[in-house]
């Protein structure tokens, strides 16, 4: 079936599908940004007998989150849309909430677990939408993130016992 040019975006996807995916990716971006700042705070403020290992682990996590933030924003641009870039927008649409004054090692780890669970759930939704839209780029990105973060969750839960 032939489509009018206005129905297809520059990378060959249905415009309506790309619009919907870009909206979902902006929601994901908002969650990544709030989660990033939470993990940054755990890195700075963690206290207790696991300080040294958690301080280093949280830095590893937030460095990876920062890379993914950039990749998600670039995917939104690839779909022909603008990534949100104001914390006021992030706070409004993120389901991960700002986590203030958390310093106990296990509390920090439990909060990281919750954050990754939210990200994985959102990414599964995006994976499904992208697959339905024949958007291999977004589907592949979501799939890669899910695989990595499921392993991270397994390790964090093993750490918590």
């Amino acid at each position: 079936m032939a489509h009018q040019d206005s129905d297809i975006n520059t990378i060959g996807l249905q415009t309506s599908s790309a619009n919907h995916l870009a909206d979902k990716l902006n929601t994901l971006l908002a969650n990544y940004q709030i989660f990033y700042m939470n993990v940054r705070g755990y890195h700075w403020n963690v206290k207790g007998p696991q300080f040294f290992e958690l301080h280093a682990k949280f830095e590893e996590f937030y460095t990876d989150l920062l890379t993914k933030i950039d990749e998600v924003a670039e995917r939104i641009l690839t779909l022909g849309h603008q990534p949100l870039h104001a914390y006021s927008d992030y706070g409004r649409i993120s389901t991960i909430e700002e986590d203030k004054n958390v310093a106990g090692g296990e509390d920090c780890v439990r909060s990281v677990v919750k954050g990754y669970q939210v990200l994985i759930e959102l990414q599964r939704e995006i994976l499904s939408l992208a697959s339905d839209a024949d958007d291999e780029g977004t589907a592949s990105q979501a799939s890669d993130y899910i695989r990595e973060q499921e392993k991270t969750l397994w390790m964090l839960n093993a750490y918590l016992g």
Side-chain angles (χ1 to χ4, degrees):
M1 177 168 112
H3 297 284
Q4 295 176 352
D5 288 345
S6 63
D7 291 346
I8 304 294
N9 74 2
T10 58
I11 61 169
L13 297 175
Q14 289 285 331
T15 302
S16 60
S17 296
N19 294 348
H20 189 54
L21 280 161
D23 287 344
K24 288 291 182 188
L25 285 167
N26 262 316
T27 299
L28 181 65
L29 180 63
N31 278 277
Y32 264 104
Q33 288 281 29
I34 299 298
F35 187 45
Y36 167 80
M37 285 309 302
N38 286 349
V39 176
R40 202 80 209 229
Y42 307 148
H43 168 77
W44 290 329
N45 297 307
V46 68
K47 291 178 177 38
Q50 300 93 8
F51 169 81
F52 289 105
E53 67 182 291
L54 290 178
H55 181 75
K57 185 53 76 173
F58 294 148
E59 183 173 3
E60 181 185 313
F61 289 159
Y62 76 66
T63 300
D64 178 66
L65 291 168
L66 193 56
T67 298
K68 286 177 171 54
I69 285 166
D70 197 50
E71 292 170 352
V72 170
E74 288 174 354
R75 188 66 199 165
I76 294 165
L77 288 161
T78 301
L79 291 171
H81 291 267
Q82 183 174 10
L84 296 175
H85 56 275
Y87 270 94
S88 55
D89 290 327
Y90 299 150
R92 185 175 43 80
I93 66 172
S94 177
T95 51
I96 295 175
E97 295 180 10
E98 289 180 335
D99 201 4
K100 301 176 185 175
N101 305 316
V102 176
E106 283 198 17
D107 291 336
C108 291
V109 173
R110 280 191 192 88
S111 294
V112 171
V113 165
K114 283 192 258 180
Y116 277 122
Q117 287 170 333
V118 169
L119 293 178
I120 289 170
E121 183 180 328
L122 270 169
Q123 289 162 166
R124 283 187 180 132
E125 184 182 347
I126 289 166
L127 176 60
S128 177
L129 291 169
S131 296
D132 291 346
D134 293 325
D135 178 0
E136 180 59 32
T138 302
S140 176
Q141 184 179 42
S143 179
D144 288 348
Y145 291 0
I146 292 165
R147 180 182 34 77
E148 288 174 31
Q149 292 163 358
E150 284 174 342
K151 183 175 180 182
T152 299
L153 269 182
W154 160 67
M155 288 191 250
L156 289 169
N157 283 311
Y159 177 86
L160 290 170

